[in-house]
């Protein structure tokens, strides 16, 4: 007795609920009787040897069929669940899946292509190299300031050659803004002509002080490099080392500007600010002789004579710049006074 699968025609055991070949549900399939004539003919014609072989092969075939049935049970269980959910589609399972396979593959291919296009990695925004370099410069300059405050007399390593110029620019701009804010509050109560004269005088005085600061550094650089023969540094590196010994002037000038912005300048604070400016100027003037006496000369010229020559050069520089600057300032003041007098006469 056996069951014939209505889908693929395979022969299954009489107790099988699903086809071992295609997994079709065989619960409603009737059991087919074995052919009696074939069986009887096989029984009458078989020899004892054949009967013994068939008897020994019968258990093997039964075992194989049982194994096939056990293998098909997971697939059969899935088929049973799908059939229970939608019985009308159970017989058409294989046909439907085969028919829709190409369309599904095309759909999947299109989906994969669309995913490849839409899921392209987006490159992260690269930082601006100028901003990054500015941050690195600011961080290194801050370490330069801290080192100069901790040990202003000892330079343990080399720094960026523009750090000295940065310190000078910060100091000069801070002091200039402090004086400008102070003068502007005074000029507000003066006539327009007098205010313009005072403002022009201040600008000329500021330019003269900046020229004197650069001239002082240049004189000591020439004395150390030209007279003593210490050629370890170029001019920018020399300015950086020079400012290293006098970097307190940066903090003093910024503190003075902050006091002026906040409006805390009175008689007592003015005395304090004057003291701070004097200390800054003293450190700046002492940095040159200190560098001269700590230089490493390559000749036999004495450092005392180099200092005397540098002092004489500085005297000449102060005299020339002072005379030219003061003469220009005095001439502008004289011209301004004459303009004011003429305006009153008319």
């Amino acid at each position: 007795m056996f069951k014939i699968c209505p889908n693929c025609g395979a022969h299954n055991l009489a107790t099988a609920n699903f086809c071992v070949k295609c997994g079709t549900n065989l619960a409603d399939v009737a059991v087919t009787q074995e052919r009696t004539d074939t069986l009887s003919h096989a029984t009458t014609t078989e020899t004892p040897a054949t009967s013994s072989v068939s008897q020994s092969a019968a258990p093997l075939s039964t075992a194989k069929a049982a194994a096939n049935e056990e293998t098909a049970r997971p697939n059969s269980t899935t088929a049973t669940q799908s059939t229970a959910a939608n019985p009308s589609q159970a017989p058409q399972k294989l046909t439907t899946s085969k028919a829709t396979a190409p369309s599904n593959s095309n759909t999947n291919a299109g989906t994969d292509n669309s995913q490849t296009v839409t899921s392209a990695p987006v490159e992260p925004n690269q930082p601006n190299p100028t901003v990054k370099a500015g941050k690195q410069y600011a961080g290194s300059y801050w370490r330069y300031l801290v080192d100069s405050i901790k040990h202003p007399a000892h330079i343990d390593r080399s720094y960026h050659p523009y750090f000295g110029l940065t310190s000078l620019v910060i100091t000069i701009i801070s002091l200039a803004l402090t004086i400008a804010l102070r003068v502007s509050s005074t000029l507000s109560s003066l006539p327009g002509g007098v205010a313009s004269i005072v403002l022009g005088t201040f600008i000329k005085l500021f330019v003269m002080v900046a020229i004197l600061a650069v001239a002082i550094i240049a004189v000591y650089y020439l004395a150390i490099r030209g007279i003593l023969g210490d050629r370890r540094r170029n001019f920018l590196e020399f300015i950086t080392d020079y400012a290293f010994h006098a970097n307190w002037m940066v903090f003093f000038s910024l503190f003075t500007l902050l006091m002026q912005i906040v409006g805390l300048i009175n008689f007592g604070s003015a005395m304090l600010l004057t003291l701070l400016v004097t200390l800054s100027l003293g450190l700046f003037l002492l940095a040159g002789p200190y560098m001269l006496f700590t230089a490493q000369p390559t000749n036999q010229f004495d450092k005392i004579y180099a200092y005397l020559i540098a002092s004489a050069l500085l005297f000449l520089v102060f005299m020339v710049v002072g005379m030219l600057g003061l003469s220009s300032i005095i001439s502008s003041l004289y011209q301004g006074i004459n303009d004011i007098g003429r305006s009153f006469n008319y």
Side-chain angles (χ1 to χ4, degrees), residues 223-225 227-233 291-303 306:
I224 293 173
R225 186 180 179 87
I227 299 175
L228 297 180
D230 187 356
R231 294 178 173 83
R232 293 175 299 168
R233 299 168 293 234
M291 294 185 68
L292 189 145
F293 284 104
T294 57
Q296 297 179 4
T298 59
N299 51 34
Q300 301 299 323
F301 200 86
D302 196 274
K303 295 180 181 179

Side-chain angles (χ1 to χ4, degrees), residues 92-284:
Q92 302 176 356
K93 177 180 178 183
L94 292 177
T95 306
T96 305
S97 62
K98 291 180 181 179
T100 57
S103 61
N104 290 336
S105 63
N106 294 332
T107 305
N108 292 333
T111 305
D112 293 339
N113 293 333
S114 63
Q115 290 179 354
T116 303
V117 173
T118 57
S119 62
V122 180
E123 295 183 359
N125 294 329
Q126 297 295 330
N128 192 334
T130 304
V131 176
K132 185 178 180 180
K135 290 181 179 179
Q136 292 178 353
Y137 184 88
S140 301
Y141 178 72
W142 176 252
R143 288 193 295 270
Y144 166 76
L145 287 179
V146 172
D147 293 342
S148 65
I149 297 304
K150 289 181 179 179
H151 304 286
H154 301 285
I155 302 176
D156 298 330
R157 60 190 182 91
S158 60
Y159 297 95
H160 197 282
Y162 291 107
F163 283 173
L165 285 177
T166 303
S167 295
L168 292 178
V169 170
I170 292 175
T171 302
I172 294 173
I173 291 177
S174 299
L175 293 177
L177 288 176
T178 303
I179 299 174
L181 292 175
R182 191 63 182 173
V183 171
S184 63
S185 61
T186 306
L187 294 179
S188 60
S189 58
L190 297 176
V194 178
S196 63
I197 294 172
V198 175
L199 182 60
T201 304
F202 164 72
I203 294 175
K204 292 180 180 180
L205 182 63
F206 171 73
V207 172
M208 185 179 67
V209 171
I211 292 174
L212 284 175
V214 176
I216 291 171
I217 298 176
V219 166
Y220 281 108
Y221 174 74
L222 292 175
I224 293 173
R225 186 180 179 87
I227 299 175
L228 297 180
D230 187 356
R231 294 178 173 83
R232 293 175 299 168
R233 299 168 293 234
N234 57 29
F235 187 62
L236 289 177
E237 294 172 348
F238 185 84
I239 294 176
T240 298
D241 292 347
Y242 194 103
F244 185 91
H245 302 300
N247 263 337
W248 272 110
M249 62 183 181
V250 177
F251 292 97
F252 290 160
S253 60
L254 291 176
F255 178 74
T256 304
L257 177 60
L258 180 62
M259 292 286 289
Q260 177 62 46
I261 293 174
V262 175
L264 298 178
I265 296 181
N266 48 32
F267 181 77
S269 61
M271 295 295 294
L272 175 62
L273 295 178
T274 304
L275 176 62
L276 293 178
V277 172
T278 304
L279 290 175
S280 301
L281 181 61
L283 286 174
F284 183 79

